Amino acid sequence: MNKKHSRVLGAGLICLSLLAASCGGGDDGESGSAGTVDANINNALKGSTTTEAAGSTTPTTAAAPLPTTMDGWEKLWVEQRAAVVARAKSEGWGLSADGKSVKGPEGFTIDMSKCPAGWSNTEGLTDTTVKLGQAIAQSGTFADYNNYARGMKTIFDYYGAAGAFKDSLGKTRTIDYIVKDDGYDPARTIPIVDELIDSDRVFAVWTLGTPSTMKVYGKLNERCIPHPFAMTAHPAWGDPVNHPWTTGAPAPSYATEAILWGSFLEERADEFPDKMKVAALVMNNDFGKVYDQTFKAYVAQSDLLKDKVEFTSETIEAQAPTVKDPMTTLAAGSPDVFIAMLAATPCTQTVIEASENGMKESAKYLFQPFTCSGTSFVSKEKVGGDGSASNGWWIFNPGAKDLRDKSQANDAFVAWMRTELTKVGIDPDSSSLLGAGMGGYGWSFVQSLIIAGQLEGGLTRTNFALAMRGLDMDNAYTLPGIREQLNGNKDAFAIEGGVFQQFDSASQAWVTKSDVIELNGKSQNCAWDQATSKCG
């Protein structure tokens, strides 16, 4: 494919709600909903390609060279944080003198009169600590995601020991990170969040998983409690107007990913002269449904796919012990394409089952979801034998590096993460999710907290909310060409880009097969209506 078709369309990563079946509320007043495709994203993708020459990762637009050492990265981050603080000062961000409102970038505001009686802007802070609460799965089929928390604690402790969290009032703090197991069960998440708010009295609350987050993000916003970088890529978190305290994960939305699957198949439609049989295994909750609805909506509006694709799906529960029965059923239909619309242990199980039931040999394309990026879920340790069961599978990776990938071992940030994890007794090869916790979620929180402390009045909940909404930096954890950026009500998604990759079992690594796909600022906001499962 010709390089001129490169899909470098912006300046950052893909974030929570770039595309599709459930996004809405853009600047033009139009909106999307479940069963529709985000017009902004769709238009941005026209005339470009999802894959280029094998292994190509070079953007076609020139960019300033990025650092190659940790000292270089730290110096760059000092400059970029200072730029955010300078912008805040010049634009007058902050809490009003009467305490009734907060002003931020691009029309971002918070009506503080809606906060409950007794609310405190410094809840969870002492002169020496910041108390952060986390509800996360430490047990069950999603237990591997607890490695996010292990990686986060590592980076929190590193920067805390370095004195990085010194605010403009001269107070230097460390992070008191309180982690509680909800087992990816919303019924357990609710009381845990209540406990973190009312008993532990934390500064901010973190959650993992769409079903769990959906149950508590309304309460957290009503209570005016920062809810940073939720560990879920549902489009609903892209709603700065109605839910100003919640920001989404530094990754593309599930809707975006589903659109990109469709775009990938459009480019290969002529490989299937008759029908294209597409099968999917879908997790039966709000998370899986976004994938399913968006992909079907994309196919329905595609001139190339709507009369060609025969789509079938089976569902599984999040805590299902096995995927054998539904995978056997799907394999019986001899699909040309298989897409795993799920997460956690089932990612590994689909690889094993596809190898055993013949689907791997008969299907031309098999996709893992980016919820299982990295090598942890597809390594030979997980799938068994020589690891060939995973060979050839595809994935859309939101530009994240992998600390388990030997070809990236000399990358300054990857090497630093591995060193710091080893220092605290954690094997960096035990899970790719350690890197996501450290370099993705943890880094984003660290930078936002430092910026918040440098705003007028020092570290407060409102300053932290503003720091996140104005975050505009290069994250060393992501590939060049992907920028982490939020911009008030104009851009509610931190990362809006990534690359297509294919797994090579011989090297036990995901090999990049596309240029950087960048859709920064293209996603429409999403005022999610839980009653209708649509954006308003």
Side-chain angles (χ1 to χ4, degrees):
M1 297 184 185
N2 194 305
K3 279 283 201 181
K4 71 181 180 180
H5 295 304
S6 172
R7 304 181 64 187
V8 181
L9 302 173
L13 289 175
I14 298 184
C15 120
L16 285 194
S17 159
L18 292 201
L19 314 174
S22 42
C23 301
D27 293 339
D28 57 5
E30 296 181 357
S31 64
S33 62
T36 65
V37 175
D38 186 320
N40 289 353
I41 297 300
N42 210 22
N43 289 336
L45 294 176
K46 288 180 179 177
S48 56
T49 61
T50 53
T51 54
E52 296 291 340
S56 174
T57 59
T58 305
T60 58
T61 55
L66 293 172
T68 57
T69 66
M70 280 304 295
D71 283 345
W73 277 112
E74 294 290 1
K75 289 176 182 177
L76 176 62
W77 294 334
V78 168
E79 295 172 2
Q80 292 181 337
R81 292 193 301 263
V84 176
V85 173
R87 181 188 178 193
K89 184 175 181 180
S90 67
E91 296 181 2
W93 302 0
L95 183 66
S96 62
D98 61 9
K100 293 182 179 179
S101 65
V102 173
K103 175 188 175 183
E106 296 293 341
F108 179 75
T109 59
I110 304 175
D111 182 355
M112 300 303 293
S113 68
K114 294 182 179 179
C115 296
W119 177 85
S120 171
N121 209 2
T122 56
E123 185 82 88
L125 297 181
T126 71
D127 287 348
T128 58
T129 61
V130 181
K131 193 178 290 187
L132 171 63
Q134 170 85 67
I136 198 169
Q138 296 178 311
S139 59
T141 55
F142 279 69
D144 199 28
Y145 290 102
N146 185 53
N147 283 301
Y148 285 160
R150 299 175 75 206
M152 287 161 60
K153 178 171 172 49
T154 302
I155 195 171
F156 292 163
D157 290 348
Y158 173 87
Y159 280 105
F165 306 122
K166 182 176 182 179
D167 74 4
S168 59
L169 301 182
K171 297 178 181 179
T172 303
R173 299 179 173 92
T174 57
I175 298 174
D176 179 10
Y177 185 37
I178 304 169
V179 183
K180 302 188 180 188
D181 179 22
D182 67 6
Y184 195 78
D185 180 355
R188 293 169 62 183
T189 307
I190 294 170
I192 285 175
V193 168
D194 288 342
E195 184 177 4
L196 291 169
I197 295 171
D198 298 323
S199 298
D200 296 311
R201 305 185 74 84
V202 297
F203 176 79
V205 172
W206 221 312
T207 57
L208 174 134
T210 297
S212 298
T213 301
M214 198 71 77
K215 292 292 186 181
V216 299
Y217 87 123
K219 176 190 297 183
L220 291 169
N221 279 266
E222 290 168 4
R223 299 283 295 270
C224 297
I225 298 168
H227 184 203
F229 305 108
M231 295 170 173
T232 150
H234 195 283
W237 325 137
D239 184 18
V241 175
N242 301 296
H243 295 88
W245 298 94
T246 296
T247 54
S253 74
Y254 304 135
T256 297
E257 185 181 11
I259 294 266
L260 286 165
W261 289 333
S263 181
F264 181 98
L265 295 180
E266 274 187 325
E267 293 168 15
R268 292 153 180 78
D270 60 0
E271 296 178 13
F272 305 91
D274 299 315
K275 293 292 184 179
M276 181 194 302
K277 295 182 179 180
V278 180
L281 185 59
V282 183
M283 194 155 279
N284 187 27
N285 56 25
D286 289 318
F287 152 60
K289 288 176 183 176
V290 169
Y291 275 146
D292 181 56
Q293 292 173 353
T294 306
F295 181 77
K296 288 190 289 191
Y298 189 85
V299 169
Q301 59 82 53
S302 169
D303 291 339
L304 290 172
L305 299 180
K306 63 184 179 182
D307 295 323
K308 179 179 285 285
V309 168
E310 291 182 354
F311 181 72
T312 58
S313 64
E314 293 286 324
T315 61
I316 59 165
E317 300 304 317
Q319 301 296 347
T322 177
V323 300
K324 180 174 288 292
D325 287 348
M327 284 295 289
T328 300
T329 299
L330 292 171
S334 300
D336 302 302
V337 179
F338 171 76
I339 305 173
M341 300 182 180
L342 35 75
T345 301
C347 288
T348 302
Q349 292 175 334
T350 57
V351 172
I352 295 171
E353 293 301 331
S355 179
E356 293 179 352
N357 64 27
M359 187 189 291
K360 182 178 185 298
E361 298 302 320
S362 62
K364 191 161 189 177
Y365 298 104
L366 301 101
F367 269 93
Q368 285 284 297
F370 78 67
T371 51
C372 292
S373 294
T375 59
S376 293
F377 293 99
V378 295
S379 67
K380 61 183 178 182
E381 294 89 352
K382 288 293 182 73
V383 302
D386 60 0
S388 60
S390 304
N391 195 58
W393 279 72
W394 288 81
I395 198 167
F396 178 74
N397 172 11
K401 298 173 183 177
D402 186 358
L403 50 70
R404 287 168 47 97
D405 186 344
K406 290 181 173 57
S407 70
Q408 298 178 14
N410 293 327
D411 177 271
F413 194 69
V414 170
W416 175 79
M417 287 193 295
R418 291 182 61 88
T419 297
E420 295 307 316
L421 287 164
T422 301
K423 284 180 181 178
V424 297
I426 298 174
D427 178 4
D429 289 320
S430 61
S431 176
S432 298
L433 300 184
L434 292 164
M438 206 172 171
Y441 294 107
W443 181 90
S444 302
F445 184 90
V446 163
Q447 301 303 325
S448 299
L449 200 69
I450 296 173
I451 291 170
Q454 297 308 307
L455 299 180
E456 184 177 351
L459 182 58
T460 62
R461 282 171 159 177
T462 52
N463 276 349
F464 181 63
L466 290 172
M468 287 191 293
R469 292 295 174 186
L471 189 65
D472 184 5
M473 300 179 68
D474 288 295
N475 187 339
Y477 179 63
T478 60
L479 297 174
I482 296 174
R483 190 171 178 88
E484 188 155 341
Q485 183 180 57
L486 286 151
N487 193 15
N489 291 352
K490 187 175 181 179
D491 184 357
F493 304 101
I495 288 180
E496 301 174 73
V499 293
F500 278 94
Q501 297 178 324
Q502 192 173 24
F503 194 73
D504 175 54
S505 61
S507 62
Q508 287 290 288
W510 288 101
V511 179
T512 297
K513 296 291 185 177
S514 78
D515 284 340
V516 171
I517 301 168
E518 184 48 84
L519 297 163
N520 189 43
K522 300 297 183 182
S523 307
Q524 293 179 327
N525 294 347
C526 173
W528 188 257
D529 184 340
Q530 293 194 37
T532 61
S533 294
K534 296 180 180 181
C535 294

